[in-house]
Amino acid sequence: MNLFNECTTNDIKLLEDVGVKIEDRECTTEELRKVELQITDFIMSSSKKDISSITKKYNHIFDILR
């Protein structure tokens, strides 16, 4: 899957906020799993009161990755 083509501009910005650099190329299943883990780590490292709202922001990206 090519995340660059699948993601919106907003999705790409959210991924950059997590530390994921998106390139215009096909990603392996393992690379996609690593992206998912980076997002999860980012969400879980947030304040307890913010986890729900941050998760909602990233739900669209999780849908793409699955």
Side-chain angles (χ1 to χ4, degrees):
M1 172 190 309
N2 185 327
L3 280 179
F4 187 81
N5 292 333
E6 296 290 328
C7 292
T8 65
T9 304
N10 186 52
D11 293 340
I12 291 172
K13 183 186 176 327
L14 288 171
L15 287 168
E16 288 172 349
D17 290 346
V18 173
V20 176
K21 184 173 190 266
I22 300 297
E23 298 174 2
D24 189 4
R25 67 174 182 82
E26 291 295 315
C27 297
T28 65
T29 303
E30 184 177 321
E31 289 172 319
L32 295 174
R33 180 72 180 131
K34 286 180 182 179
V35 169
E36 192 172 357
L37 289 173
Q38 279 183 266
I39 295 169
T40 302
D41 287 345
F42 176 78
I43 292 170
M44 297 310 291
S45 69
S46 302
S47 171
K48 281 173 93 174
K49 66 179 182 172
D50 296 332
I51 288 177
S52 180
S53 64
I54 293 172
T55 300
K56 287 179 186 176
K57 288 181 186 178
Y58 286 91
N59 274 340
H60 181 254
I61 298 171
F62 281 128
D63 291 341
I64 292 170
L65 292 170
R66 295 182 183 137

